[in-house]
Amino acid sequence: MLKKYSKFAALMTAAAILAACGGSADKPAAESKPAAGQAAAADKLAARFVTIATGGASGPYNIIGTSLAEAYAKVYGVNAKTQSTGASVENLNLLDQGKAEMAFVMSDALNDAVKGTGSFQKPLDSVAQIAALYPNYVQIVASAKSGIRSIEDLRGKRVAVGAQNSGVELASRALLNGFGITYNDLKVDFLGYAEAADALKSGKLDAAFLTSGLPNSSLMELQQGFDLQLVSVPADKLGEIAKTSPFFNPMPIPAGTYNNAEDVPTAAILNALVVRADLSEDDVYKLTKTFFESLDTLKTAHQAAGSISLEAAQKGLVAPLHPGAKRYYDEAAK
């Protein structure tokens, strides 16, 4: 009798548990739904943090990167943020050290990193590319009263060439070398965008290299009350320089960008969006997908993002394409 009661009690207990779960022997329990505001498990990232290494606080990298970090935080619920840096070379080293997940860099610095030349003692195999982005224009700026009209006029002048070891500085040095000018021929200052603009305004500099997307916000501010002169880079001379520095492309700064009456010929270098190569294929697929789905927002954040497109993203790649990004491109092409 006791055994029969025990069996009956056990059956009743099991039935009660099934009822409480809302299930039955032939009907599985309903799947639980994520709480409001939380991403479903399939839409989350394995990485808990997404740190995007950018550049100076006033530059396009940081402005676009901040908008992108906000998109990642909203879509995936991760701790996404930007890190203001000295830009390209520092960003690539941060990726290599595992201190950032993504970065905006210039293709000249990325080219050096992949080959282990210039500022990199060995090739970095820890970096993979997501996309080729918008062009960075070499904007050589002086005051109109300085008399500086060409790169040759920079000899003996005090010139800001960008933050030390940044992509701006690498481009400045390569372009100067193409004209037979070394740092020994100048009085060099290593300054970022905002610092260079302030030094020009106060008369502490004769000229500055600000290599970025158009327009550069520091130059937009500088031209208010400052007689700004853009220094041209002749296309024929640039063609010769590109034989040894193939990342240079001839592109004009359009008339009206900084109240300039005509187009100003100069050099341009493609920017790149890169990630740590050890990030999972699934995570990078999601990061790439959200990047392109957020383009309208990024374009609103900064005009430079206006020339980023899915169609051009795989043109001019310098580093290996991450498998996660390739997966997204293959899917988008179907």
Side-chain angles (χ1 to χ4, degrees), residues 81-312:
K81 62 179 182 179
T82 58
Q83 181 173 337
S84 182
T85 69
S88 299
V89 175
E90 182 179 348
N91 292 353
L92 289 161
N93 284 323
L94 287 171
L95 289 179
D96 188 51
Q97 295 160 10
K99 295 180 179 178
E101 283 66 51
M102 300 180 72
F104 289 85
V105 301
M106 284 170 56
S107 289
D108 54 350
L110 185 56
N111 178 70
D112 283 355
V114 170
K115 294 180 177 178
T117 58
S119 299
F120 301 91
Q121 295 181 353
K122 61 181 180 62
L124 299 188
D125 57 6
S126 54
V127 177
Q129 194 160 353
I130 282 185
L133 303 177
Y134 59 90
N136 261 8
Y137 291 77
V138 178
Q139 297 157 79
I140 310 171
V141 188
S143 68
K145 63 182 180 182
S146 69
I148 297 173
R149 298 292 183 273
S150 70
I151 290 184
E152 294 287 354
D153 294 334
L154 295 176
R155 293 180 186 273
K157 304 294 185 180
R158 183 166 293 281
V159 182
V161 293
Q164 194 161 20
N165 288 327
S166 65
V168 176
E169 197 245 321
L170 294 181
S172 302
R173 186 166 41 188
L175 195 55
L176 287 166
N177 287 344
F179 280 82
I181 301 172
T182 70
Y183 284 176
N184 291 332
D185 300 313
L186 311 172
K187 298 170 185 175
V188 171
D189 279 333
F190 298 101
L191 300 175
Y193 300 138
E195 295 84 1
D198 287 344
L200 279 168
K201 193 170 186 178
S202 64
K204 295 177 181 178
L205 280 179
D206 296 307
F209 285 76
L210 290 87
T211 302
S212 75
L214 297 178
N216 181 286
S217 60
S218 292
L219 290 186
M220 293 291 285
E221 292 178 14
L222 176 65
Q223 71 175 352
Q224 306 301 321
F226 182 82
D227 198 1
L228 183 150
Q229 173 70 45
L230 292 171
V231 178
S232 65
V233 181
D236 55 348
K237 182 64 177 179
L238 189 59
E240 295 177 22
I241 297 170
K243 292 176 182 178
T244 53
S245 300
F247 43 80
F248 281 131
N249 299 286
M251 289 188 185
I253 298 172
T257 302
Y258 302 109
N259 294 328
N260 47 305
E262 300 178 347
D263 289 356
V264 177
T266 191
I269 305 164
L270 282 177
N271 289 287
L273 184 60
V274 294
V275 292
R276 286 205 334 253
D278 64 355
L279 291 186
S280 72
E281 178 182 326
D282 193 53
D283 272 7
V284 176
Y285 165 81
K286 292 172 182 174
L287 293 172
T288 307
K289 184 174 187 288
T290 301
F291 172 75
F292 284 104
E293 290 178 348
S294 302
L295 274 185
D296 286 345
T297 302
L298 302 184
K299 291 173 184 178
T300 301
H302 197 285
Q303 184 178 333
S307 55
I308 300 174
S309 70
L310 178 60
E311 294 72 25

Side-chain angles (χ1 to χ4, degrees), residues 11-29:
L11 287 170
M12 291 300 290
T13 300
I17 292 171
L18 284 171
C21 293
S24 65
D26 59 356
K27 184 179 180 181

